[in-house]
Amino acid sequence: MSSSQPNPVLSQSPEVVLIDVLAQAAERSPDLKRALLLSAVPRWFDAEVVEGMFPRDEPPRISIDEIVQYLTALPFTELNPMRDNAWRFRDEYREQLLKHDAIAEQWAELHSRAAELFKHRFDAKASVGEKKFEDRGLKDIAVEYVYHLQQ
């Protein structure tokens, strides 16, 4: 399908699309459904973010590569224009995913996990001295850390 033609799936409401997508994901692998919901908490994701959103004591049973491949093939996933090798869900789909009971019930815990993930990423990448203020990628990670702290 060419990029100029709208995806017929997306002509339906996000609620309807997500009911089907979540059911199909759960049928294929419970970890895909978990990943879809967990990956909606951060405003963008890559393989490291997807992996970090799973609880340490409950890692996925399928590979992160397989999960990312699945997530990036969804019709409401788009490349993040601000980061290389990162994606995001279209706003209306992310908003709907965030209303799911599995997310709402763990809101604080999931945002805390996301904040910890971005803080770890910031610390690992942090440049020394004034150069850290010139690194756009580092600033973006810091913004994500602060965003999740405030949720």
Side-chain angles (χ1 to χ4, degrees):
M1 185 178 301
S2 81
S3 60
S4 64
Q5 294 178 323
N7 186 320
V9 171
L10 299 183
S11 65
Q12 301 174 42
S13 74
E15 297 90 342
V16 171
V17 171
L18 289 172
I19 288 169
D20 290 342
V21 169
L22 287 166
Q24 292 168 7
E27 187 176 300
R28 193 165 151 194
S29 166
D31 286 332
L32 291 177
K33 180 180 178 181
R34 282 175 58 205
L36 176 54
L37 292 167
L38 292 172
S39 297
V41 175
R43 295 184 294 183
W44 56 266
F45 64 89
D46 58 16
E48 185 179 341
V49 170
V50 170
E51 185 172 25
M53 288 306 297
F54 277 89
R56 287 188 183 116
D57 60 343
E58 296 177 43
R61 286 160 276 174
I62 59 177
S63 76
I64 294 299
D65 287 343
E66 184 177 347
I67 291 170
V68 170
Q69 194 172 39
Y70 170 79
L71 293 174
T72 58
L74 293 170
F76 50 85
T77 303
E78 55 192 18
L79 282 170
N80 181 342
M82 304 300 288
R83 301 194 61 79
D84 293 333
N85 297 314
W87 299 267
R88 63 184 184 189
F89 297 134
R90 290 183 183 187
D91 290 341
E92 62 272 24
Y93 291 87
R94 179 175 179 260
E95 289 167 12
Q96 195 62 40
L97 286 165
L98 292 176
K99 293 177 185 176
H100 193 281
D101 288 344
I103 299 299
E105 292 168 358
Q106 301 178 66
W107 186 262
E109 177 187 338
L110 293 173
H111 281 285
S112 177
R113 191 179 306 151
E116 181 181 317
L117 170 68
F118 285 110
K119 176 158 183 357
H120 174 75
R121 215 163 160 164
F122 179 86
D123 292 344
K125 187 177 166 67
S127 303
V128 205
E130 295 297 313
K131 289 192 180 212
K132 66 180 158 192
F133 299 109
E134 298 169 11
D135 185 338
R136 175 74 185 159
L138 191 59
K139 287 179 189 177
D140 290 344
I141 291 170
V143 166
E144 293 305 312
Y145 168 63
V146 171
Y147 168 82
H148 289 289
L149 281 178
Q150 294 178 338
Q151 296 303 306

PDB file of all heavy atoms in Angstrom, residues 11 16 19 35-36 44-45 48 51 57 73 78 81 98 123 127:
ATOM      1  N   SER A  11      -9.279   3.871   9.447  1.00  0.00           N
ATOM      2  CA  SER A  11     -10.505   4.627   9.214  1.00  0.00           C
ATOM      3  C   SER A  11     -11.528   4.341  10.315  1.00  0.00           C
ATOM      4  O   SER A  11     -12.513   5.055  10.447  1.00  0.00           O
ATOM      5  CB  SER A  11     -11.082   4.310   7.834  1.00  0.00           C
ATOM      6  OG  SER A  11     -11.489   2.958   7.780  1.00  0.00           O
ATOM      7  N   VAL A  16     -12.021   0.849  18.463  1.00  0.00           N
ATOM      8  CA  VAL A  16     -12.352  -0.366  17.704  1.00  0.00           C
ATOM      9  C   VAL A  16     -11.079  -1.052  17.217  1.00  0.00           C
ATOM     10  O   VAL A  16     -10.923  -2.269  17.349  1.00  0.00           O
ATOM     11  CB  VAL A  16     -13.288  -0.035  16.514  1.00  0.00           C
ATOM     12  CG1 VAL A  16     -13.461  -1.219  15.585  1.00  0.00           C
ATOM     13  CG2 VAL A  16     -14.634   0.457  17.039  1.00  0.00           C
ATOM     14  N   ILE A  19      -9.256  -2.759  20.188  1.00  0.00           N
ATOM     15  CA  ILE A  19      -9.908  -3.986  20.676  1.00  0.00           C
ATOM     16  C   ILE A  19      -9.419  -5.165  19.855  1.00  0.00           C
ATOM     17  O   ILE A  19      -9.024  -6.196  20.386  1.00  0.00           O
ATOM     18  CB  ILE A  19     -11.448  -3.854  20.632  1.00  0.00           C
ATOM     19  CG1 ILE A  19     -11.916  -2.899  21.732  1.00  0.00           C
ATOM     20  CG2 ILE A  19     -12.118  -5.218  20.775  1.00  0.00           C
ATOM     21  CD1 ILE A  19     -13.371  -2.488  21.616  1.00  0.00           C
ATOM     22  N   ALA A  35       3.555  -5.938  25.868  1.00  0.00           N
ATOM     23  CA  ALA A  35       4.492  -4.987  25.265  1.00  0.00           C
ATOM     24  C   ALA A  35       3.753  -3.811  24.638  1.00  0.00           C
ATOM     25  O   ALA A  35       4.192  -2.666  24.765  1.00  0.00           O
ATOM     26  CB  ALA A  35       5.355  -5.685  24.218  1.00  0.00           C
ATOM     27  N   LEU A  36       2.653  -4.083  23.983  1.00  0.00           N
ATOM     28  CA  LEU A  36       1.864  -3.018  23.361  1.00  0.00           C
ATOM     29  C   LEU A  36       1.374  -2.032  24.420  1.00  0.00           C
ATOM     30  O   LEU A  36       1.516  -0.819  24.263  1.00  0.00           O
ATOM     31  CB  LEU A  36       0.688  -3.632  22.595  1.00  0.00           C
ATOM     32  CG  LEU A  36      -0.312  -2.685  21.948  1.00  0.00           C
ATOM     33  CD1 LEU A  36       0.367  -1.685  21.025  1.00  0.00           C
ATOM     34  CD2 LEU A  36      -1.350  -3.488  21.183  1.00  0.00           C
ATOM     35  N   TRP A  44       7.761   7.632  23.390  1.00  0.00           N
ATOM     36  CA  TRP A  44       8.399   6.989  22.246  1.00  0.00           C
ATOM     37  C   TRP A  44       9.106   5.741  22.752  1.00  0.00           C
ATOM     38  O   TRP A  44       9.299   5.583  23.961  1.00  0.00           O
ATOM     39  CB  TRP A  44       9.364   7.920  21.515  1.00  0.00           C
ATOM     40  CG  TRP A  44      10.450   8.503  22.380  1.00  0.00           C
ATOM     41  CD1 TRP A  44      10.422   9.706  23.020  1.00  0.00           C
ATOM     42  CD2 TRP A  44      11.725   7.916  22.718  1.00  0.00           C
ATOM     43  NE1 TRP A  44      11.579   9.904  23.721  1.00  0.00           N
ATOM     44  CE2 TRP A  44      12.400   8.829  23.551  1.00  0.00           C
ATOM     45  CE3 TRP A  44      12.352   6.725  22.394  1.00  0.00           C
ATOM     46  CZ2 TRP A  44      13.677   8.571  24.071  1.00  0.00           C
ATOM     47  CZ3 TRP A  44      13.619   6.466  22.899  1.00  0.00           C
ATOM     48  CH2 TRP A  44      14.257   7.382  23.729  1.00  0.00           C
ATOM     49  N   PHE A  45       9.447   4.860  21.851  1.00  0.00           N
ATOM     50  CA  PHE A  45      10.120   3.627  22.272  1.00  0.00           C
ATOM     51  C   PHE A  45      11.126   3.171  21.232  1.00  0.00           C
ATOM     52  O   PHE A  45      11.038   3.493  20.056  1.00  0.00           O
ATOM     53  CB  PHE A  45       9.101   2.513  22.568  1.00  0.00           C
ATOM     54  CG  PHE A  45       8.299   2.069  21.369  1.00  0.00           C
ATOM     55  CD1 PHE A  45       8.753   1.058  20.541  1.00  0.00           C
ATOM     56  CD2 PHE A  45       7.079   2.669  21.076  1.00  0.00           C
ATOM     57  CE1 PHE A  45       8.017   0.650  19.440  1.00  0.00           C
ATOM     58  CE2 PHE A  45       6.329   2.273  19.978  1.00  0.00           C
ATOM     59  CZ  PHE A  45       6.803   1.258  19.159  1.00  0.00           C
ATOM     60  N   GLU A  48      15.474  -0.785  23.612  1.00  0.00           N
ATOM     61  CA  GLU A  48      15.889  -0.634  25.010  1.00  0.00           C
ATOM     62  C   GLU A  48      14.724  -0.185  25.899  1.00  0.00           C
ATOM     63  O   GLU A  48      14.563  -0.658  27.025  1.00  0.00           O
ATOM     64  CB  GLU A  48      17.033   0.380  25.097  1.00  0.00           C
ATOM     65  CG  GLU A  48      17.626   0.520  26.480  1.00  0.00           C
ATOM     66  CD  GLU A  48      18.766   1.525  26.520  1.00  0.00           C
ATOM     67  OE1 GLU A  48      19.343   1.866  25.466  1.00  0.00           O
ATOM     68  OE2 GLU A  48      19.082   1.976  27.634  1.00  0.00           O
ATOM     69  N   GLU A  51      12.227  -3.154  26.335  1.00  0.00           N
ATOM     70  CA  GLU A  51      12.765  -4.116  27.295  1.00  0.00           C
ATOM     71  C   GLU A  51      12.692  -3.563  28.723  1.00  0.00           C
ATOM     72  O   GLU A  51      12.314  -4.269  29.656  1.00  0.00           O
ATOM     73  CB  GLU A  51      14.210  -4.466  26.944  1.00  0.00           C
ATOM     74  CG  GLU A  51      14.803  -5.535  27.824  1.00  0.00           C
ATOM     75  CD  GLU A  51      16.163  -6.003  27.343  1.00  0.00           C
ATOM     76  OE1 GLU A  51      16.859  -5.231  26.646  1.00  0.00           O
ATOM     77  OE2 GLU A  51      16.526  -7.144  27.666  1.00  0.00           O
ATOM     78  N   ASP A  57      11.449  -8.833  37.151  1.00  0.00           N
ATOM     79  CA  ASP A  57      11.128 -10.201  37.576  1.00  0.00           C
ATOM     80  C   ASP A  57      10.092 -10.883  36.676  1.00  0.00           C
ATOM     81  O   ASP A  57       9.708 -12.017  36.922  1.00  0.00           O
ATOM     82  CB  ASP A  57      10.673 -10.220  39.034  1.00  0.00           C
ATOM     83  CG  ASP A  57       9.428  -9.376  39.279  1.00  0.00           C
ATOM     84  OD1 ASP A  57       9.087  -8.522  38.422  1.00  0.00           O
ATOM     85  OD2 ASP A  57       8.791  -9.574  40.327  1.00  0.00           O
ATOM     86  N   ALA A  73       5.280  -2.746  13.173  1.00  0.00           N
ATOM     87  CA  ALA A  73       4.447  -3.101  12.021  1.00  0.00           C
ATOM     88  C   ALA A  73       2.985  -2.703  12.213  1.00  0.00           C
ATOM     89  O   ALA A  73       2.196  -2.766  11.262  1.00  0.00           O
ATOM     90  CB  ALA A  73       4.545  -4.608  11.762  1.00  0.00           C
ATOM     91  N   GLU A  78       4.465   4.966  14.140  1.00  0.00           N
ATOM     92  CA  GLU A  78       5.208   5.784  13.183  1.00  0.00           C
ATOM     93  C   GLU A  78       6.608   6.042  13.711  1.00  0.00           C
ATOM     94  O   GLU A  78       6.856   5.956  14.923  1.00  0.00           O
ATOM     95  CB  GLU A  78       4.470   7.093  12.909  1.00  0.00           C
ATOM     96  CG  GLU A  78       4.159   7.894  14.141  1.00  0.00           C
ATOM     97  CD  GLU A  78       3.175   9.036  13.888  1.00  0.00           C
ATOM     98  OE1 GLU A  78       2.468   9.032  12.865  1.00  0.00           O
ATOM     99  OE2 GLU A  78       3.125   9.927  14.740  1.00  0.00           O
ATOM    100  N   PRO A  81      10.277  11.274  14.625  1.00  0.00           N
ATOM    101  CA  PRO A  81      11.116  12.146  13.804  1.00  0.00           C
ATOM    102  C   PRO A  81      12.289  12.773  14.577  1.00  0.00           C
ATOM    103  O   PRO A  81      13.211  13.293  13.970  1.00  0.00           O
ATOM    104  CB  PRO A  81      10.142  13.224  13.322  1.00  0.00           C
ATOM    105  CG  PRO A  81       9.052  13.232  14.323  1.00  0.00           C
ATOM    106  CD  PRO A  81       8.942  11.826  14.839  1.00  0.00           C
ATOM    107  N   LEU A  98      -3.493   4.111  26.998  1.00  0.00           N
ATOM    108  CA  LEU A  98      -3.252   4.537  28.380  1.00  0.00           C
ATOM    109  C   LEU A  98      -4.506   4.434  29.249  1.00  0.00           C
ATOM    110  O   LEU A  98      -4.400   4.411  30.481  1.00  0.00           O
ATOM    111  CB  LEU A  98      -2.697   5.961  28.413  1.00  0.00           C
ATOM    112  CG  LEU A  98      -1.290   6.128  27.845  1.00  0.00           C
ATOM    113  CD1 LEU A  98      -0.893   7.596  27.844  1.00  0.00           C
ATOM    114  CD2 LEU A  98      -0.276   5.279  28.591  1.00  0.00           C
ATOM    115  N   ASP A 123      22.203   8.824  32.588  1.00  0.00           N
ATOM    116  CA  ASP A 123      23.464   8.638  33.316  1.00  0.00           C
ATOM    117  C   ASP A 123      24.499   7.908  32.466  1.00  0.00           C
ATOM    118  O   ASP A 123      25.682   8.242  32.496  1.00  0.00           O
ATOM    119  CB  ASP A 123      23.230   7.870  34.621  1.00  0.00           C
ATOM    120  CG  ASP A 123      22.445   8.670  35.640  1.00  0.00           C
ATOM    121  OD1 ASP A 123      22.329   9.909  35.483  1.00  0.00           O
ATOM    122  OD2 ASP A 123      21.926   8.050  36.591  1.00  0.00           O
ATOM    123  N   SER A 127      27.402  13.313  28.997  1.00  0.00           N
ATOM    124  CA  SER A 127      28.696  13.880  28.629  1.00  0.00           C
ATOM    125  C   SER A 127      29.236  14.642  29.830  1.00  0.00           C
ATOM    126  O   SER A 127      28.513  14.955  30.766  1.00  0.00           O
ATOM    127  CB  SER A 127      28.530  14.832  27.451  1.00  0.00           C
ATOM    128  OG  SER A 127      27.939  14.180  26.359  1.00  0.00           O
TER     129      SER A 127
END
